[in-house]
Amino acid sequence: MRFYDITVPLTNDMPSYPGDPGIQIHDWFTLANGDSANVTHLNFSAHTGTHVDAPAHFIEGAARVESLQLEALIGKVQVIAVPDTALSIDQAFVADHITSDVPRILFRTRNSSFWHDHPNQFRQDFTYLELEAAQFLVQRGVRLVGIDYLSIEQFGQKEHETHLVLLSQGIVILEGLDLSAVPEGLYELICLPLKIRDGKGDGAPARAVLRTL
C-alpha cells in the first residue's frame, strides 16, 4: 500500500487566484523571542492552495462546506492523465477515459508542473474542464471532480458555467492539487476540508491524499 500526498504546501509566496486575498503566514509568538510557545498566525482565502468548493461558492443558500458529506470526499477515485498538449478537457476525452463505476474523478494535467516550475506565479493559461465535459460528468453520476490548479474553469469566464453545472448538482469540486507524482489509475481518495462554520461556507482548504487499492 502506498500513499500519495497530493496537497500543495501553503507558503507566503504561492500564487492565489487574481482578486482573492493573498496568503500571509507569520510568527505570532516564538520561543526564540522568549515567548512560552511557538504560535503561527494564518491569514488566507478559503480557496487557497488545495481546497474544496462547496455549492455555496456560487449558489446563494446552497450547501455549505460544513455540510459536505464524507461519503463524497472519501472513497474510490480515478486519476485520468491528460496530455500536456491539451489546454482544455473536452467531453470526448472524458468519455474515452472514464471508468464506468467510479464516482470521483481527478484530472492530472500539465498544471501540476506549474507548482514546481512556476511556484510563485499565477498561470492564466492553465488547463481547464470544458462545460460540455462537466455536463457529461453530471450525467454519469460523479460525486467529486478534481483538477490540479486553482480553478476548474477557464480563466476569465464571467458566468462560471462549469462551476454551476457541477455545484448545482451537489458535486464537490476539488482544486489546487499536485498530481505530478501520481500515475494514472484507481485509488482511494481521502480529502478532508477544514470544517468552517462561520462565513459564507463557500469552501475550505483541504489535505488530500491518495492511497493505492
Side-chain angles (χ1 to χ4, degrees):
M1 181 182 299
R2 179 174 179 180
F3 289 90
Y4 292 93
D5 189 346
I6 56 175
T7 313
V8 175
L10 298 180
T11 68
N12 280 323
D13 54 1
M14 72 187 304
S16 57
Y17 198 87
D20 284 4
I23 184 170
Q24 297 176 336
I25 305 173
H26 65 268
D27 297 335
W28 189 260
F29 295 129
T30 67
L31 292 170
N33 287 338
D35 298 316
S36 61
N38 288 322
V39 176
T40 302
H41 182 267
L42 308 175
N43 186 18
F44 49 82
S45 163
H47 303 272
T48 298
T50 304
H51 66 276
V52 163
D53 285 353
H57 187 27
F58 284 107
I59 305 170
E60 190 68 36
R64 298 162 58 88
V65 68
E66 182 188 15
S67 67
L68 296 180
Q69 296 182 352
L70 293 178
E71 290 83 359
L73 296 162
I74 300 173
K76 191 174 183 181
V77 66
Q78 181 183 6
V79 175
I80 298 177
V82 180
D84 288 347
T85 55
L87 299 183
S88 67
I89 305 166
D90 62 24
Q91 177 181 340
F93 178 86
V94 176
D96 287 343
H97 291 82
I98 190 173
T99 299
S100 59
D101 62 343
V102 177
R104 302 167 194 83
I105 302 294
L106 304 181
F107 292 105
R108 190 193 77 198
T109 77
R110 55 194 270 277
N111 300 339
S112 281
S113 67
F114 297 166
W115 300 116
H116 307 277
D117 299 338
H118 306 276
N120 307 328
Q121 173 189 356
F122 180 84
R123 291 284 299 265
Q124 297 184 5
D125 63 337
F126 58 85
T127 299
Y128 61 92
L129 185 69
E130 294 185 8
L131 175 60
E132 292 77 12
Q135 293 169 333
F136 176 80
L137 291 172
V138 170
Q139 295 168 3
R140 293 295 295 266
V142 170
R143 302 188 67 182
L144 178 145
V145 181
I147 199 164
D148 48 358
Y149 209 56
L150 292 174
S151 179
I152 202 167
E153 190 143 18
Q154 183 180 18
F155 180 75
Q157 291 297 309
K158 303 299 184 184
E159 302 301 324
H160 311 294
E161 291 180 313
T162 298
H163 277 90
L164 287 169
V165 161
L166 298 172
L167 296 176
S168 65
Q169 299 302 312
I171 297 173
V172 178
I173 299 176
L174 176 56
E175 297 170 328
L177 299 169
D178 181 359
L179 296 166
S180 55
V182 181
E184 64 179 343
L186 299 177
Y187 299 87
E188 180 187 21
L189 172 67
I190 304 166
C191 174
L192 297 176
L194 295 178
K195 195 171 184 179
I196 301 174
R197 178 163 294 174
D198 287 340
K200 296 297 184 180
D202 45 286
R207 187 72 178 264
V209 174
L210 296 177
R211 179 165 60 180
T212 56
L213 297 175

